[in-house]
Amino acid sequence: MSNDKQEIPNRSFVHVKNTTNEKIENKSGQQIAHHLADLADRVPNVNDATALIVGKYAIVGIDINDNMDTSRVGTIKYSVAEALQKDPYGANSIIIADPDLYARLKNIVRQVDDGRPVQAFMNEIAAIVGRVMPEIPSDLLQTKNPSPTNTNDSELNKQEEKQLNQRQDKQSNHYLNK
């Protein structure tokens, strides 16, 4: 006699709690900016931090000692970026450690906190980000497909060459655009 249902002895169920953040608060851009600045300020060797939210991006300025060498500044910026990346609001952050840019950003944040809209500062924000992340000429971004080589084609018999050509045709960009 066969049973469709088989009993498994000593089987118990374990309830596992979901480890994702169940409550994600909707915060204003200013609240998120202050939160990110606080996270950056906690990183060792950061004297002060400020942050500004622009769309889905954050610009975080950090104040560090002026007499630090470039490699140490890079290490601190990396530590700040690591701290922010682990936060759900800080994943798309640009970190600035330049004293001049930090002062400009802090001035913008102070005025936004006083009620001025971020849009009033877009040209200055673009200039700040442009100094940190200069624009790459578009002709450098466009890559050209290399021309195919025929040096090893004589090693193949006609059947193998036909199979290779079919496989290459399937993988080519021309095939995708048909």
Side-chain angles (χ1 to χ4, degrees):
M1 175 160 66
S2 86
N3 257 343
D4 289 341
K5 294 182 182 178
Q6 296 179 352
E7 291 186 30
I8 301 173
N10 299 327
R11 184 171 185 180
S12 62
F13 293 98
V14 176
H15 295 283
V16 178
K17 184 179 178 187
N18 190 355
T19 58
T20 61
N21 291 338
E22 293 174 6
K23 293 182 180 179
I24 297 177
E25 297 178 34
N26 288 331
K27 296 182 178 182
S28 71
Q30 287 174 293
Q31 290 172 321
I32 294 169
H34 290 293
H35 170 72
L36 295 178
D38 184 48
L39 286 176
D41 197 26
R42 294 181 194 168
V43 173
N45 297 315
V46 174
N47 300 329
D48 190 25
T50 189
L52 180 69
I53 303 297
V54 181
K56 65 178 185 173
Y57 297 99
I59 305 168
V60 180
I62 56 174
D63 179 32
I64 54 176
N65 293 336
D66 292 337
N67 57 357
M68 284 191 185
D69 62 1
T70 308
S71 64
R72 184 72 181 128
V73 171
T75 304
I76 294 169
K77 283 176 67 175
Y78 184 81
S79 297
V80 170
E82 228 177 15
L84 295 177
Q85 190 167 15
K86 292 178 183 175
D87 188 81
Y89 298 111
N92 295 322
S93 298
I94 300 166
I95 290 77
I96 297 171
D98 179 87
D100 177 50
L101 297 180
Y102 169 77
R104 288 170 65 185
L105 184 65
K106 191 165 181 88
N107 183 38
I108 292 171
V109 169
R110 184 180 44 76
Q111 291 184 50
V112 168
D113 285 345
D114 288 343
R116 291 203 52 200
V118 174
Q119 290 80 8
F121 303 99
M122 289 310 286
N123 288 337
E124 191 170 0
I125 293 167
I128 290 171
V129 173
R131 276 187 57 190
V132 177
M133 301 172 61
E135 188 174 334
I136 299 171
S138 60
D139 60 347
L140 292 178
L141 295 176
Q142 295 174 353
T143 58
K144 297 178 182 173
N145 291 335
S147 56
T149 59
N150 298 322
T151 55
N152 293 330
D153 283 353
S154 61
E155 300 290 323
L156 302 173
N157 65 37
K158 294 294 180 191
Q159 171 101 8
E160 291 172 326
E161 187 175 350
K162 183 179 178 182
Q163 287 176 343
L164 178 63
N165 286 335
Q166 288 174 344
R167 194 175 287 164
Q168 287 175 342
D169 189 43
K170 281 185 179 180
Q171 294 174 358
S172 73
N173 289 335
H174 303 294
Y175 178 77
L176 296 174
N177 295 330
K178 288 183 180 178

